[in-house]
Amino acid sequence: MCAAALLVATAVAPASADGGAGGGADLAPGSRGVGWAVKDTGQVGAEAVRFRGLAAVSRGTAWLAGSKGRVLRTGDGGRSWRDVSPPAAVAEGLELRDIEAFDGRRAVALSIGEGEASRVLRTEDGGATWTEAFRNTDPRAFYDCLTFFDSRHGLAVSDPVDGKFRLLATDDGGRSWRVLPDAGMPPALTGEAAFAASGQCLTASGPRDVWLATGGGPTARVLHSADRGLTWRVADSTVPGGDPARGVFALAFRDRTTGLAVGGDYRTGQPSPRSAARSADGGRGWTQAAVPPPAYRSGAAWYPYGHATALAVGPTGTDVTTDAGRTWRALEAGSFDTVDCAADGGCWAAGEKGRVARLERH
């Protein structure tokens, strides 16, 4: 869940001016007549942007971040989208893979890549202007994801440098960043990294707890910190590793104890028989889903009104669980890379070819 969701009241929303259905409680995933309604972002053809970064502020407001430095924002439930891309990011063709939004005006975006391609950008005026808050100057670092605990405190993670994952921290809403000491970070496994596939390899819940998903090494692991990234405990997941293309791609925690992990093998046509796992103890232990999604999944999000309901998305479709990740069933086909739900029940998904959708009653 994005930082904005922490700031939105959790009362059931009344019928809204964005043209959608009323309260989020009426839009539980998998309910009769509820599914994805694709929105026109104006991205078509070979030049279409792939949106792997997504921040759901509400049913009416959402931010997208994607390839070619593009950032879009809607304030009317997806009926129209404003291109609020940072000019420098577009000019340099930066890969924006994550965005966290606090409301319709304030957002922090992450571009990925080796060396100076990894940057953090920030806006306070709805994307009219952007400030570069951080530029990586270490050629060994490659930043993948970012997350916020609240509107001030956040983290960004890089693939291992000198044998350990590297963390950036901010205490001022993303205006400035510093590298955290790595004394409390366990050594990385050979080949281990984080996946910049959906902006969900790093996720926070509450004021201090954060989890990091890994893959690429011999074992796909989940690391947990209860002190905003200073010290970490590591656990093996049940999602298969053992290959650079396999591992945990996304994490979602409903609270500081109940979590989901999804992933698999991202290569087209490769099987992913154990693509989901669940934890009931804050990530100390993971149990394989009895009935997992049928293929690789890159994004996951809890539905705020359903205590045990969550969504998982990937290139081959969307799945829903109503028993906290024990079993999953297909919701519908269609490719998405990432999914996010706001506290008012507004759920959004985004992915390749400019494809964006909101959960609605048909």
Side-chain angles (χ1 to χ4, degrees):
M1 185 178 293
C2 72
L6 303 175
L7 308 177
V8 180
T10 56
V12 174
S16 60
D18 65 14
D26 298 327
L27 294 169
S31 298
R32 185 182 299 275
V34 174
W36 293 120
V38 176
K39 306 298 179 179
D40 181 9
T41 60
Q43 301 292 321
V44 296
E47 298 301 313
V49 170
R50 186 168 194 165
F51 293 113
R52 294 181 185 267
L54 167 65
V57 176
S58 66
R59 281 187 49 73
T61 301
W63 296 71
L64 305 170
S67 54
K68 305 173 186 177
R70 294 295 178 184
V71 176
L72 303 186
R73 176 176 56 82
T74 183
D76 58 11
R79 286 202 301 266
S80 63
W81 295 86
R82 178 170 295 182
D83 187 335
V84 294
S85 305
V90 174
E92 297 184 53
L94 295 181
E95 284 286 329
L96 299 175
R97 293 291 181 92
D98 200 354
I99 189 164
E100 300 289 325
F102 308 110
D103 49 42
R105 297 185 61 80
R106 298 176 297 158
V108 179
L110 173 74
S111 69
I112 69 160
E114 296 177 349
E116 294 190 1
S118 286
R119 305 177 196 178
V120 179
L121 308 172
R122 186 179 187 276
T123 182
E124 293 184 333
D125 55 13
T129 61
W130 291 83
T131 301
E132 184 178 291
F134 170 80
R135 181 182 296 210
N136 173 49
T137 57
D138 189 334
R140 302 170 299 170
F142 185 118
Y143 286 87
D144 301 285
C145 300
L146 58 83
T147 190
F148 276 80
F149 303 92
D150 51 44
S151 61
R152 292 177 53 211
H153 302 93
L155 296 174
V157 65
S158 163
D159 289 338
V161 176
D162 293 330
K164 293 184 177 182
F165 285 94
R166 176 173 288 182
L167 272 297
L168 291 178
T170 180
D171 298 324
D172 55 14
R175 293 177 181 87
S176 62
W177 296 81
R178 67 188 187 281
V179 176
L180 288 183
D182 66 2
M185 174 66 71
L189 303 177
T190 301
E192 191 174 29
F195 290 111
S198 60
Q200 295 178 324
C201 65
L202 189 70
T203 188
S205 181
R208 305 189 70 81
D209 287 275
V210 61
W211 295 263
L212 167 61
T214 82
T219 303
R221 307 194 296 174
V222 177
L223 285 68
H224 170 237
S225 171
D227 55 12
R228 291 186 186 153
L230 293 177
T231 60
W232 295 80
R233 181 182 61 243
V234 63
D236 292 346
S237 77
T238 63
V239 177
D243 187 279
R246 293 200 295 258
V248 178
F249 281 71
L251 297 168
F253 272 79
R254 190 182 65 205
D255 49 43
R256 69 188 310 265
T257 60
T258 310
L260 301 171
V262 299
D265 191 319
Y266 72 77
R267 293 172 294 190
T268 302
Q270 291 298 309
S272 296
R274 291 180 287 156
S275 59
R278 60 186 177 89
S279 176
D281 57 6
R284 293 182 181 87
W286 291 88
T287 302
Q288 179 183 335
V291 181
Y296 156 72
R297 294 294 179 254
S298 55
W302 289 94
Y303 181 66
Y305 291 107
H307 184 71
T309 302
L311 293 158
V313 300
T316 61
T318 299
D319 305 281
V320 61
T321 178
T322 56
D323 55 12
R326 292 173 178 83
T327 60
W328 295 82
R329 61 182 174 85
L331 180 66
E332 57 183 69
S335 175
F336 292 112
D337 292 311
T338 188
V339 60
D340 194 25
C341 293
D344 70 350
C347 292
W348 297 79
E352 63 180 349
K353 299 179 181 179
R355 194 165 186 264
V356 178
R358 188 179 69 166
L359 201 67
E360 295 181 6
R361 184 173 296 281
H362 298 315

